Amino acid sequence: MCGRDPFVLDTPPPPDATIPVAASEAVPPLMPWEVSEDMHCEFVEELHGGGGAIVYRIRAGQDTRVLKLHIGQDATVRFCKEVNAYAYLASRNVAEAVPQCVGWIKLDVLLKRARGVPSPLLVMLREQEPSVARGLILEDLGGAQCLSVHNINLDIGELTLQALHKLHSAYILHGNPEKDNVLVFPETKRVVWVGFSHAVCQGSITRQGLLAELAEGWAFIYQRLVPDGFIGWEPGPDAIDPRTLVDDVSPAPIQPTHPRPSKSTVVEETIAILTSYPDINLFSWDPPLFHLTPGAKRDYEYDTDEFLEAIKTGYAKAPFNPFGKWYGPCPGRIESADIFTDHSDEWCAHAAPPPICQLPTETEIEFVEYLKCSSNHPLVRVRIGSAERLLKIFNMNWGGKKNDTACKPRFMTERDAYAHLTLHGACAAGAGPQCYGWIELSRTHVDDANAAIRRAYGDESPPWLVFPVFEDGSPSAAIVLEYLAESEAITLDNVTPARADLAMRSLSRVHCSYVVHGDVKSMKNLRLIRGRGDTPDRVVVVDFDHSRMSSWKRAWPSRIRFFGEFITLWSYLYGWMLSAQRTYCKAAKHPHAIEF
């Protein structure tokens, strides 16, 4: 829309032909912030949390300042880069383009005079000594807005590039020219660059590097923000950006049937079928595979009360399910894995699918209800625009796992799994919930989520609340999913042969998306949605934070893992649940007094 980037070089110079920027004179170092003995400091509010930093507005005596603390790995390196950058900026005439920095301070010095120290900071101090932690004291830019599609225009875009050029004139390469590092005062037309934790100063920069950063800044302004601003999308209860929220899609067509492979012997045919899974769905073979869907057994009709009582008495003495073989063995059970060793040359890692979309952090979300459940991650029913969704939140301080380093990897695993499920049609077919993308949670989102959790517990104190960051200091995130109203876990009370078959078919669709679920034995991960009228039952596979994908170059799952999970669920449903239901269901009458 805005034409070609004028700062992009037609012929990039070779690496050894860079022209260094002439070194300027040495600059005085940034000095510590002087705090008098009688000065009292107060933490007023948290302005930002994530990206490896926490930013607070503080009141020091009669003045209001901003304290920026670096957390997580490489905190000292990032702090030193910012201190060095502000030292250079203070020696140049760039006051309007950056916040004024009045110095730095050791955290233990500040805490001796501070009141209202927030809990996230206290959590951080358990891992980092206050005497080591240091922060920057900056100008309070009250009234500023983050640069976004809602305040961008051609004038603001030009001012943003001019401010970036002022940084370059001070021999500073910002290092991360993104909109999140630009603050705007729309009324006064002032644009301020912040976030210098990746900055490079003077002797380590080149003219080509400065020109490349100008090109990058021009691109995100005129090729992303300005066109988005002209679309006219504004946040509101009924306005949803169609590019970031995928609407409900129609179910994918039924997978075509595959003729049985033409082989000279039954063994060769069996091997051909087994070694084609999960590329070909086991339920799509024509004719169907024998006993993959066992017929409903009606032997229970002849059970007497005395017989059932004798079974229960015997179970109490020696726990053993006498009906475990009622439905026979799983047809996919493999006695030897050698066939996969001998016939798996074609199996290799697949290309990663396109990632699911990321919603803007400023997306307005109404947190309707916290769903108390046994999930390892908080689940909240929300409203985005006019659509009800489920928000699955990932953060480091849930379930008391304050030092859990697996929270962000689990989020990334589930996010990658939904990319597979979306691409290969499992979500569209109803085997998994529809996925509408993911979002980095703002502080407002975190506060609203915690308010919903407190409402759910009423007068009780909630055991856990949502924490604003992951273990590495980056913002907590959530996956936006289809809200499965009135869904329930598969249990002895509601399982039937028909529903067991639905569960197996849903798992097969997941496998055909090249995803191994990793936790199907937990029945809470199989959600039943009862049919009404002409709408049939539906069984949905959920919770993919333990899954493995074939696009993982480091350790993709083998065919035997797909089969192993298929056999596990089949044996659990038919070899335990349906057979145990015959005597141990909680139904008022006979356990099978339900419709098949």
Side-chain angles (χ1 to χ4, degrees), residues 358-412:
Q358 180 181 1
L359 280 63
T361 304
E362 59 266 27
T363 299
E364 290 192 354
I365 301 176
E366 178 187 354
F367 289 77
V368 180
E369 177 189 12
Y370 167 65
L371 306 177
K372 290 184 180 179
C373 60
S374 58
S375 173
N376 290 325
H377 309 282
L379 303 176
V380 186
R381 179 165 66 96
V382 301
R383 190 172 289 114
I384 301 178
S386 59
E388 281 203 340
R389 303 290 185 228
L390 179 72
L391 211 62
K392 182 172 183 179
I393 301 175
F394 294 78
N395 72 118
M396 66 177 264
N397 190 21
W398 189 256
K401 301 176 182 178
K402 296 181 179 179
N403 296 318
D404 189 353
T405 59
C407 296
K408 189 166 186 178
R410 285 185 178 181
F411 159 70
M412 297 171 68

Side-chain angles (χ1 to χ4, degrees), residues 96-97 151-160 162-163 166 183-192:
E96 288 296 311
N151 53 36
I152 189 68
N153 55 45
L154 295 178
D155 291 338
I156 295 295
E158 182 179 357
L159 290 172
T160 303
Q162 288 178 356
K166 287 185 178 181
L183 298 180
V184 178
F185 294 85
E187 294 183 0
T188 61
K189 301 297 183 182
R190 181 189 176 191
V191 175
V192 179

